[in-house]
Amino acid sequence: MPVEFVTPDPQEIVNALGVEPEITGETQRTVNLVDVTGEDLTLSYDAVGQSVTVRWCTPSGKVMLNVFREGAILLRVQEGDGETQLVVEFETRDTAGELRLKVFPEVSITETLLFS
């Protein structure tokens, strides 16, 4: 049985970050964080395709980071200790991992990917 990619209600993201995920494809939404962080930073997720993309660019438009991952099973908003993060959990037959996009108080991106 295929695993479902559980994503938060868009209002949860609005409540935590003040931006609404835009519908950018048939099953894709994009959270544009430029107004929140001052950085050219986006997180896109496709609930049906179970994929996530994080893209971070310089003010001139040069790509600093472009991460695409499939096998997403959970996207959640995590708030606490003065931090707000978008956390994505991944699981495939061979690997399991987590991608953390910290939005507040400053942008930080960390990823852990392990053999399962």
Side-chain angles (χ1 to χ4, degrees):
M1 186 170 111
V3 177
E4 182 183 0
F5 179 17
V6 178
T7 60
D9 183 282
Q11 190 60 47
E12 243 185 279
I13 295 174
V14 172
N15 293 349
L17 301 172
V19 292
E20 185 171 353
E22 300 170 37
I23 297 169
T24 52
E26 219 171 285
T27 58
Q28 181 175 312
R29 292 184 181 262
T30 298
V31 182
N32 187 338
L33 296 163
V34 69
D35 291 338
V36 180
T37 63
E39 303 276 349
D40 185 354
L41 179 65
T42 58
L43 175 116
S44 298
Y45 57 96
D46 185 330
V48 174
Q50 291 186 263
S51 63
V52 172
T53 303
V54 175
R55 187 174 167 96
W56 192 6
C57 298
T58 64
S60 66
K62 180 180 177 190
V63 176
M64 294 186 343
L65 177 77
N66 189 28
V67 174
F68 174 77
R69 290 284 180 265
E70 292 181 311
I73 58 169
L74 177 66
L75 168 62
R76 62 187 163 86
V77 177
Q78 182 175 312
E79 296 180 277
D81 296 328
E83 296 181 351
T84 303
Q85 303 181 70
L86 294 170
V87 180
V88 186
E89 294 178 19
F90 299 90
E91 193 174 292
T92 66
R93 191 175 56 160
D94 302 324
T95 59
E98 183 178 81
L99 176 71
R100 289 183 168 269
L101 172 55
K102 184 166 63 170
V103 179
F104 293 120
E106 62 186 12
V107 173
S108 170
I109 301 167
T110 57
E111 182 181 44
T112 307
L113 190 60
L114 305 169
F115 290 117
S116 54

